[in-house]
Amino acid sequence: MSLIDVKNLSKEYRNGEVVTPVLRGLNFAIQKGEFAAIMGPSGSGKSTLMHILGFLDTLSSGQYIFDGRDVSTLSEDELAEMRSCSVGFVFQSFNLLPRTTVLDNAILPLMYTKDKRPEWSAKAKAALESVGLGHRLHHMSDQLSGGEKQRVAIARALINKPELIFADEPTGNLDSKSGLQVMKIFQDLNAQGHTVILVTHEKYTAEHAQRILRLKDGALVGDEKVRDRQLADGNGELRK
Amino acid sequence: MNKTIFQLAITALRRQKTRAILTMVAISIGIAAVVVMSAAGKGLEKMVISELDVFGPNTIEIEVKVPSVKKTSSENAMGLSTGITITTLKDRDIDSVRQHPNIEYANGSVMGQESVSYGGQIKKVVLMGHGWEQALIDDVKFASGRFFTKEEEESLNSVAVLGNAVKQKMFGDDEAIGKTIYVKGKPFKVVGVMAKRGAAFFFDIDNMVTLPTKTMQKKLLGINYVMYIMAKMKDRTQAKQTAVELTEIIRANHGITDPDKDDFAVNTMEEAKAILKTIIGALTLLLIALVCISLVVGGVGIMNIMYVSVAERKFEIGLRKSVGARRQDILWQFLDEAVILTTGGGVLGIVLGALLAFVIYIVAISYGFKWSYILPFSSILLSLGFSAFIGILFGVYPAKKAASLNPIEALRRE
Ligand SMILES: Nc1ncnc2c1ncn2[C@@H]1O[C@H](COP(=O)(O)OP(=O)(O)OP(=O)(O)O)[C@@H](O)[C@H]1O
Ligand SMILES: [Mg+2]
């Protein structure tokens, strides 16, 4: 059974009379443990698709079956439970809480789990260190650079060790070295059995995945295996 | 209440200090206003009631009244001030009252205003004419001398008892007893000076001169009627019955058959107290109504702050939901915030109001009023409840709306 099974998925935005179709009848499946990249031009609907797959937005028609369950039949609380435990989401626009420290931002998802409060800080620290932000714990999120914000967002998404990780342009604001460090994190997680889905417009970054899905104007126009997979190492050095 | 969410609310509030402080101030002002107003109302009530207590619960009063007006003194006074003078309450009525088995003492009183002079000083003062029994009915205390006697009254002696302030003004620290003062040009011998009574609510006894009723009637006013009769009962539990019987007796004296034509009213102190309490209650209610307006204005402020803050925090709500917060987690957080704000503001307001009420109390006392410091629990509770209700409603309702959006909708920045 696939982890993600999408059937004829469509999404449109309605603004009064104006209807904007964004996703048009997508069909694909992603298996447990896969590392997939979604590529496509700007405005092709990549983020929209990720939001729907991450239980953050609803589809307009079609079906999204996650782990054998039709997502549209899940209750509010079940969806919250999924967001809390099953998936981690790195937003394209980071979405950090303003006027809040880096540490508290990373802690946010722990507040809604069974984790005991005393363990929060240590967990968040570990997650932040893994993205190279151990020295910025008590900075306010507003005082960070774009790349640092992105890494806080990644740490927050990873903190619950979710089985499925979504990352929307996670290296978009990073230099190539930091980008590779981030890709190493995702590859390591994938190696540990986590399923990873990331959006990128860089072919090179996409090649860190095992599979590339191509979107254009809301339709799936390509789905291929990566033959020459890039492997990132922890030093940010390239390795084939 | 979930503890972590409670702490979360505190951190959230800390992040929005100005808003939190503004809300608390708005709430505390409203509550302080309620506390002060209701405390002042209670203090006033206590003061008036204690003034009445000076006359003692055993007293019963028969006053003249314009026929077919209600019993309340205000209308009666109005009737009298429009020039109608009731001249029917006379010695015969006083004797009848005195003969009632439940009456211990009774005396008739008249009032007037005359200039009083001593050694070149002239003062316009309120003159009270009392029977000699007044000293037994009202517990008069003396700085020096005594009240006039039955003999002095019956033989129309020209004797006077001075209020403490009158004595101070006319004699200073000199002895007044035995001196002669002139009332309307006629000589009166001072036999007593009353002890200081302090500011009284109805009349300023310290500034009055008391003469025997009969002397005042015959020598100064040239009348043969009294304005009211004051009597002391033996058994005050019989007050109602006594009042009814006295009414019948005086009606018979005056030849009245139709109660609507009564030209007098019999009042017991209990009744007077009840009437005053109603008046003060109405006054307090008016104050409370004023306060409610300010509370509503404050409430609108709270609403506004709460509403705006929730709108501002739609993003936070979306983010929390996107990392797994359930709708009720969001609601609890906002509820906690509202509770913290309203309790904080409420406690602040109660302290502030209690302090202000205390200042009023101190000032009133320093002016000699028999004010009391009472904080009415019920109105404090009411105002607290009201602001909590407003705070919670307008903190939680919009939060509920935002929490029911899907995370992406809530995260979208307008
Ligand atoms: N709320 C909305 N109402 C109407 N149209 C919307 C709304 N949100 C997104 N869209 C449209 O949906 C389309 C897809 O948007 P999406 O953010 O998924 O693109 P994307 O592939 O992630 O682009 P990028 O690479 O620039 O991030 C865009 O054309 C966008 O204008
Ligand atoms: Mg996008």
Side-chain angles (χ1 to χ4, degrees):
Chain A
M1 185 178 55
S2 313
L3 181 65
I4 288 173
D5 198 352
V6 164
K7 289 174 183 157
N8 216 12
L9 185 150
S10 294
K11 173 77 176 177
E12 58 195 31
Y13 287 106
R14 247 169 235 280
N15 218 325
E17 296 289 287
V18 192
V19 180
T20 321
V22 176
L23 298 174
R24 309 162 194 256
L26 301 181
N27 286 290
F28 63 88
I30 290 173
Q31 308 305 316
K32 227 172 234 172
E34 250 192 291
F35 190 160
I38 299 173
M39 291 188 76
S42 182
S44 57
K46 304 181 297 290
S47 297
T48 308
L49 175 61
M50 295 276 273
H51 294 153
I52 293 170
L53 297 181
F55 314 107
L56 303 177
D57 206 350
T58 49
L59 45 76
S60 306
S61 67
Q63 256 190 332
Y64 170 24
I65 294 165
F66 179 84
D67 215 4
R69 299 165 81 188
D70 187 340
V71 173
S72 63
T73 64
L74 297 179
S75 71
E76 265 282 322
D77 282 6
E78 283 170 324
L79 285 173
E81 172 81 18
M82 297 284 222
R83 292 178 201 128
S84 174
C85 305
S86 304
V87 303
F89 206 103
V90 183
F91 292 95
Q92 189 173 11
S93 48
F94 326 134
N95 289 343
L96 302 183
L97 266 188
R99 298 187 292 281
T100 305
T101 62
V102 165
L103 192 67
D104 284 341
N105 263 289
I107 281 175
L108 207 62
L110 295 176
M111 292 179 172
Y112 305 106
T113 61
K114 291 185 186 70
D115 276 51
K116 294 282 171 293
R117 194 182 170 78
E119 296 157 20
W120 290 359
S121 280
K123 271 198 166 180
K125 243 183 244 171
L128 286 163
E129 272 159 12
S130 77
V131 294
L133 279 178
H135 59 303
R136 287 278 184 272
L137 300 180
H138 301 290
H139 277 58
M140 289 294 162
S141 62
D142 326 59
Q143 298 164 349
L144 301 178
S145 74
E148 285 170 328
K149 282 182 188 166
Q150 191 146 46
R151 284 184 281 163
V152 176
I154 293 169
R156 186 180 61 195
L158 302 183
I159 195 156
N160 275 330
K161 298 249 153 51
E163 136 180 42
L164 174 56
I165 294 158
F166 292 98
D168 197 348
E169 300 269 12
T171 58
N173 285 276
L174 302 181
D175 57 85
S176 59
K177 186 173 167 173
S178 318
L180 281 170
Q181 283 170 350
V182 165
M183 291 316 292
K184 158 97 172 126
I185 292 169
F186 287 129
Q187 285 188 331
D188 286 350
L189 283 165
N190 181 236
Q192 289 162 27
H194 298 261
T195 309
V196 180
I197 301 175
L198 68 81
V199 164
T200 180
H201 60 271
E202 299 163 337
K203 185 165 181 293
Y204 165 68
T205 305
E207 283 171 350
H208 284 77
Q210 302 160 339
R211 174 184 174 191
I212 299 178
L213 294 157
R214 289 182 197 277
L215 272 189
K216 198 178 173 209
D217 291 335
L220 197 62
V221 294
D223 183 353
E224 73 239 31
K225 273 218 150 74
V226 176
R227 256 181 259 129
D228 270 332
R229 199 173 171 207
Q230 308 276 359
L231 290 176
D233 72 12
N235 303 318
E237 303 297 329
L238 212 51
R239 187 156 56 85
K240 283 263 173 169
Chain B
M1 207 177 285
N2 184 325
K3 197 174 166 221
T4 59
I5 289 184
F6 187 76
Q7 276 164 341
L8 205 139
I10 291 183
T11 15
L13 288 178
R14 237 185 252 146
R15 216 168 42 234
Q16 333 232 340
K17 264 182 212 136
T18 325
R19 180 185 73 91
I21 289 168
L22 277 177
T23 315
M24 291 233 253
V25 166
I27 295 169
S28 66
I29 287 174
I31 291 186
V34 175
V35 172
V36 169
M37 293 283 189
S38 52
K42 278 282 173 206
L44 188 74
E45 181 182 313
K46 272 278 165 186
M47 184 184 93
V48 172
I49 297 300
S50 73
E51 285 302 331
L52 275 182
D53 278 340
V54 168
F55 298 107
N58 284 358
T59 50
I60 200 162
E61 186 221 24
I62 298 129
E63 58 175 7
V64 293
K65 153 172 127 42
V66 179
S68 89
V69 297
K70 294 259 164 54
K71 222 172 173 181
T72 57
S73 300
S74 61
E75 277 182 65
N76 192 9
M78 247 146 64
L80 290 176
S81 68
T82 49
I84 307 162
T85 312
I86 307 295
T87 59
T88 46
L89 207 58
K90 295 189 177 160
D91 283 355
R92 181 178 163 214
D93 299 313
I94 302 171
D95 287 334
S96 307
V97 172
R98 207 176 269 135
Q99 276 152 28
H100 186 280
N102 192 29
I103 296 295
E104 200 170 3
Y105 307 107
N107 83 110
S109 298
V110 288
M111 272 171 97
Q113 243 194 353
E114 289 298 345
S115 48
V116 173
S117 65
Y118 172 77
Q121 284 193 73
I122 302 177
K123 279 225 153 359
K124 201 142 180 112
V125 300
V126 174
L127 291 181
M128 283 302 306
H130 284 313
W132 64 273
E133 296 104 316
Q134 180 67 19
L136 302 169
I137 295 167
D138 184 7
D139 189 19
V140 184
K141 301 258 185 328
F142 288 90
S144 59
R146 55 173 178 83
F147 211 66
F148 40 81
T149 62
K150 187 178 181 186
E151 291 68 37
E152 281 170 333
E153 187 187 3
E154 277 170 358
S155 48
L156 302 184
N157 278 5
S158 292
V159 288
V161 173
L162 305 185
N164 200 280
V166 175
K167 187 261 173 189
Q168 282 303 322
K169 276 184 211 147
M170 303 192 98
F171 294 90
D173 290 334
D174 296 347
E175 180 61 73
I177 307 295
K179 303 274 164 56
T180 303
I181 58 169
Y182 290 86
V183 180
K184 210 180 172 185
K186 297 190 169 92
F188 280 76
K189 196 175 95 181
V190 177
V191 295
V193 175
M194 287 187 195
K196 201 172 165 181
R197 283 205 144 172
F201 196 63
F202 298 114
F203 3 75
D204 191 358
I205 295 171
D206 287 343
N207 272 307
M208 289 179 187
V209 171
T210 307
L211 310 175
T213 300
K214 288 215 169 72
T215 313
M216 194 161 154
Q217 279 177 328
K218 303 281 156 8
K219 290 194 170 170
L220 295 178
L221 304 175
I223 56 172
N224 62 354
Y225 57 88
V226 295
M227 294 168 188
Y228 65 90
I229 297 168
M230 195 70 106
K232 186 174 184 180
M233 286 176 287
K234 289 172 184 156
D235 177 5
R236 74 162 168 188
T237 60
Q238 300 292 312
K240 263 216 169 94
Q241 183 58 28
T242 308
V244 169
E245 285 164 15
L246 289 179
T247 306
E248 278 162 9
I249 292 165
I250 296 169
R251 241 180 232 155
N253 282 354
H254 294 187
I256 295 167
T257 47
D258 179 359
D260 283 345
K261 297 237 160 69
D262 275 356
D263 53 4
F264 67 94
V266 179
N267 302 318
T268 59
M269 276 307 143
E270 291 306 318
E271 266 179 319
K273 261 190 212 174
I275 290 167
L276 267 171
K277 263 194 177 155
T278 334
I279 294 170
I280 294 164
L283 214 83
T284 314
L285 216 66
L286 188 80
L287 288 182
I288 301 264
L290 284 174
V291 161
C292 282
I293 293 170
S294 68
L295 216 56
V296 166
V297 172
V300 171
I302 299 168
M303 278 179 218
N304 190 42
I305 295 167
M306 283 288 188
Y307 199 91
V308 167
S309 91
V310 174
E312 272 174 4
R313 294 169 69 196
K314 216 176 105 189
F315 170 79
E316 178 187 336
I317 292 173
L319 182 60
R320 288 183 183 282
K321 280 199 75 176
S322 76
V323 299
R326 290 165 306 167
R327 208 183 301 189
Q328 61 261 41
D329 293 326
I330 303 287
L331 286 184
W332 273 117
Q333 180 190 337
F334 277 78
L335 185 70
D336 283 357
E337 280 184 41
V339 167
I340 293 168
L341 285 178
T342 46
T343 353
V347 169
L348 205 73
I350 291 171
V351 171
L352 213 76
L355 240 95
L356 261 169
F358 191 72
V359 170
I360 292 176
Y361 163 74
I362 294 290
V363 170
I365 287 282
S366 77
Y367 276 95
F369 291 114
K370 292 184 183 115
W371 204 266
S372 303
Y373 183 56
I374 303 164
L375 293 177
F377 188 66
S378 56
S379 54
I380 291 175
L381 215 67
L382 193 84
S383 56
L384 254 180
F386 179 76
S387 53
F389 176 73
I390 296 284
I392 287 166
L393 189 70
F394 289 88
V396 174
Y397 174 70
K400 192 180 152 98
K401 249 177 33 186
S404 61
L405 292 174
N406 77 41
I408 287 300
E409 280 175 82
L411 276 169
R412 194 170 294 139
R413 296 174 205 250
E414 264 110 48

